[in-house]
Amino acid sequence: MKVAAIAAIVGASNRRDKFGNKSLRAHRLAGFKTYAVNPIEKMIEGEPAYARLADLPAKPQRISVYLPPVRTLAMLGEIAAVGAQEVWFNPGAADEKTADHGGTKAGHDDPPNVPTSIVRREHSIQTKTPAPIQISHRVGESD
């Protein structure tokens, strides 16, 4: 039996009109085991919510972030400590300061405290809105 990939949705909430909640539901529909990360909510979409990434019962392969940039920046150390293969900073969750601290930019080396290698922002063809910034660790490379 194949084990489902795990996705942690940071900033998920019970408000179904919010993108964190929509992402949680979309990841579930795509076959992911999901964990909602929210320091206030106790349950989201019928599952327990966790206050911190460190509280999750299993390591996620993907972290998708739906926070304001200042809160995202404050969480970068916690995000890095998880060691997920993919970290997605969705539109509105990261700004230049976050990207400078959390990943690479042209001419910059990876910051030693954040194990990441790729920062990419593209535009979605379907929605004409900015797509998430992806910061991914290159599997098999040392930090």
Side-chain angles (χ1 to χ4, degrees):
M1 182 165 118
K2 185 178 177 184
V3 176
I6 299 171
I9 311 303
V10 179
S13 77
N14 277 310
R15 288 194 46 193
R16 296 190 111 213
D17 62 318
K18 298 298 239 175
F19 287 108
N21 183 288
K22 291 177 182 184
S23 177
L24 185 76
R25 290 182 283 131
H27 275 89
R28 285 183 185 169
L29 285 174
F32 282 83
K33 169 65 180 155
T34 59
Y35 295 121
V37 179
N38 183 312
I40 298 168
E41 303 278 356
K42 299 297 181 207
M43 298 285 289
I44 297 175
E45 292 293 320
E47 298 284 337
Y50 299 88
R52 302 174 313 129
L53 286 165
D55 298 334
L56 299 179
K59 176 184 170 178
Q61 287 80 40
R62 176 181 292 178
I63 298 173
S64 190
V65 181
Y66 293 89
L67 299 172
V70 68
R71 290 188 55 211
T72 299
L73 186 59
M75 285 197 66
L76 287 178
E78 185 176 338
I79 291 168
V82 171
Q85 293 171 328
E86 298 178 343
V87 176
W88 291 87
F89 294 99
N90 294 284
D95 55 14
E96 289 299 316
K97 187 174 182 182
T98 309
D100 285 346
H101 185 74
T104 62
K105 290 184 69 169
H108 292 245
D109 293 329
D110 289 338
N113 60 334
V114 181
T116 58
S117 302
I118 301 168
V119 176
R120 183 176 65 214
R121 181 182 292 257
E122 298 173 347
H123 287 278
S124 167
I125 295 170
Q126 295 175 339
T127 63
K128 304 285 187 201
T129 59
I133 297 172
Q134 180 185 19
I135 298 180
S136 298
H137 181 67
R138 290 186 188 142
V139 178
E141 289 187 10
S142 60
D143 291 287

